Amino acid sequence: MTRLNVNGQSFDVDVKAHETLSDVLRNQLGLIGVKVSCAEGECGSCTILVDGVPATACLMLALQGERHEITTIEGIGTHHDLHPIQEAFIEEQGFQCGFCTPGFIMMAKAFLDENPNPTEEEASMAMSGNICRCGAHPYIVKSVMNAAERMRE
């Protein structure tokens, strides 16, 4: 049995040595906001925070999550109380199909926690590790800038 601390809660899960954290989060804990697109750590769709640091859940083994605080998109806001970053993505239309959006939001959260007053260029660079196949990158950067302003207020 493996104990994972996810979104402020402890979960005892039975995992096989080869199971990825993304699979366990999605299939055992029902946290489907963790999207798996490339399964190679290249696209960022599965980005989560591990002790506040962005990580690709598709490349992490579930066993590596032990003794760490894992945060998924489900852990930063609710339908009735959105996080300012989530509000900014809606306001700025920082998504098209929405598949990559949770990964971008988690990357934005880590970035803005470190740099609450970024330039547009810094925001663009911070988001460049994630891929939006729909081409919404300019709107994503606007969303990050909007979120930074919201979070400073």
Side-chain angles (χ1 to χ4, degrees):
M1 205 52 75
T2 300
R3 177 161 290 191
L4 296 177
N5 294 313
V6 182
N7 299 330
Q9 296 182 318
S10 290
F11 297 93
D12 290 321
V13 290
D14 188 21
V15 299
K16 295 177 178 72
H18 68 276
E19 281 186 290
T20 63
L21 185 55
S22 58
D23 286 342
V24 170
L25 292 171
R26 288 181 58 79
N27 301 331
Q28 290 193 42
L29 301 183
L31 299 171
I32 60 172
V34 179
K35 307 295 185 191
V36 178
S37 181
C38 72
E40 296 177 353
E42 294 294 326
C43 72
S45 291
C46 66
T47 301
I48 58 171
L49 303 181
V50 178
D51 298 329
V53 177
T56 49
C58 74
L59 292 184
M60 275 187 77
L61 295 174
L63 294 172
Q64 291 175 296
E66 282 188 302
R67 294 181 297 283
H68 295 283
E69 183 55 45
I70 298 164
T71 307
T72 69
I73 189 76
E74 292 90 349
I76 68 165
T78 67
H79 290 93
H80 303 292
D81 185 25
L82 295 176
H83 189 280
I85 298 171
Q86 293 168 314
E87 291 174 343
F89 267 73
I90 292 168
E91 186 174 304
E92 298 294 343
Q93 299 177 20
F95 54 88
Q96 284 186 31
C97 80
F99 193 84
C100 65
T101 306
F104 271 105
I105 289 173
M106 297 309 292
M107 185 62 78
K109 179 164 184 348
F111 170 65
L112 293 174
D113 285 349
E114 288 289 317
N115 184 355
N117 194 20
T119 65
E120 198 167 310
E121 184 177 328
E122 290 169 331
S124 181
M125 285 300 296
M127 297 299 105
S128 69
N130 289 46
I131 297 171
C132 173
R133 286 169 172 69
C134 298
H137 192 77
Y139 301 104
I140 291 165
V141 173
K142 282 183 174 184
S143 299
V144 173
M145 297 305 292
N146 178 325
E149 186 176 326
R150 286 171 181 267
M151 292 169 69
R152 285 192 306 266
E153 293 175 350

